[in-house]
Amino acid sequence: IAPRLSWAGHSLPPEFRRQLEHDANAPIFGNPDGDASLIEFFDYNCQFCRAMMPVVDAVLGADSGLRMVMREWPVFGEGSVFAARAALASRKQDRYADFHRALMSQKPRAERASVLRVARSMGLDTQQLQRDMNGPEIAQHIQQSNTLAEAMGLVGTPTFIAGSDSRFGAISSSELAELVAASRRKGMWMGGYVPLGYRVENRKLLVNEEEAASVRLIFERFVKLGSIKLLMRELQAANIRSRRGY
């Protein structure tokens, strides 16, 4: 059983929470605008991380509102560092998700030779990959993972974090899903676009009374019109739009 994180989610400094959940330099799986964030710290040479890959995919597949933040945290030596740098560099070729899963699925230890072999088998340009591995954003991501892990007192990989709770090691899909569900039940806003009719205060969604009137109007007009197309035309004419502009 993994230890609970020593801090409570609401007490984290806002900047620290932003770095943990909304680092623009961290790959995202699932729904980028989801209402719940799950963070995984992992290493490609961690056998439990490899075992968790299908579990993670199952939870992502079952939860369309889940936003998963991937934190490369190479703690098992130079091979792990090379693999993490290569995986992050594969973003330049738009293959991070595929490469990540391929590295997690391989049987040999992740080392320079095995990582490049996997890259070639996927059709990645390995010369470009090795050049891109030296980009400053690569070192920055790994350093950020080290900083966050140290600040939170993480003990190893894989570590999954949602809200103020964490799980360490290999767990079942139901346990992982419950970790996410628990953070939702606590009412903490986990990021993404704030729905029309709400505002965020102290990481909680509260009703925005001015916008709520527009939301009530939308539902009332839909009931009367009985047509999404007619409703959309009416809302556009009245210039009533979501925060995303449509």
Side-chain angles (χ1 to χ4, degrees), residues 61 64 90 112 133 206 225:
S64 62
S90 72
R112 177 188 176 90
M133 286 171 61
L206 302 177
L225 294 171

Side-chain angles (χ1 to χ4, degrees), residues 23-29 40 42-44 68-74 79-101 103 115-116 119 122 124-125 128-146:
D23 181 0
N25 193 26
I28 302 295
F29 284 176
E40 180 185 7
F42 60 90
D43 183 303
Y44 291 109
M68 188 157 186
V69 182
M70 310 303 291
R71 292 249 48 121
E72 302 270 355
W73 189 31
S80 294
V81 173
F82 187 91
R85 289 172 58 213
L88 290 167
S90 72
R91 293 181 294 180
K92 291 288 185 68
Q93 299 182 53
D94 296 322
R95 298 297 303 278
Y96 178 83
D98 293 338
F99 195 30
H100 170 83
R101 289 183 170 89
L103 290 175
V115 169
L116 293 179
M122 295 175 56
L124 285 168
D125 182 334
Q128 178 187 342
L129 187 72
Q130 292 177 84
R131 290 194 300 271
D132 292 338
M133 286 171 61
N134 296 317
E137 72 280 2
I138 307 297
Q140 192 278 335
H141 176 99
I142 294 173
Q143 180 57 52
Q144 182 79 320
S145 294
N146 290 333

Side-chain angles (χ1 to χ4, degrees), residues 53 59 161 184 195:
M53 189 69 252
V59 172
I161 301 170
R184 284 191 172 110

Side-chain angles (χ1 to χ4, degrees), residues 225 227-238 240 246:
L225 294 171
S227 168
I228 289 291
K229 288 184 178 180
L230 292 177
L231 176 62
M232 289 298 295
R233 290 174 188 168
E234 189 171 290
L235 294 176
Q236 289 171 358
I240 297 176
Y246 50 79

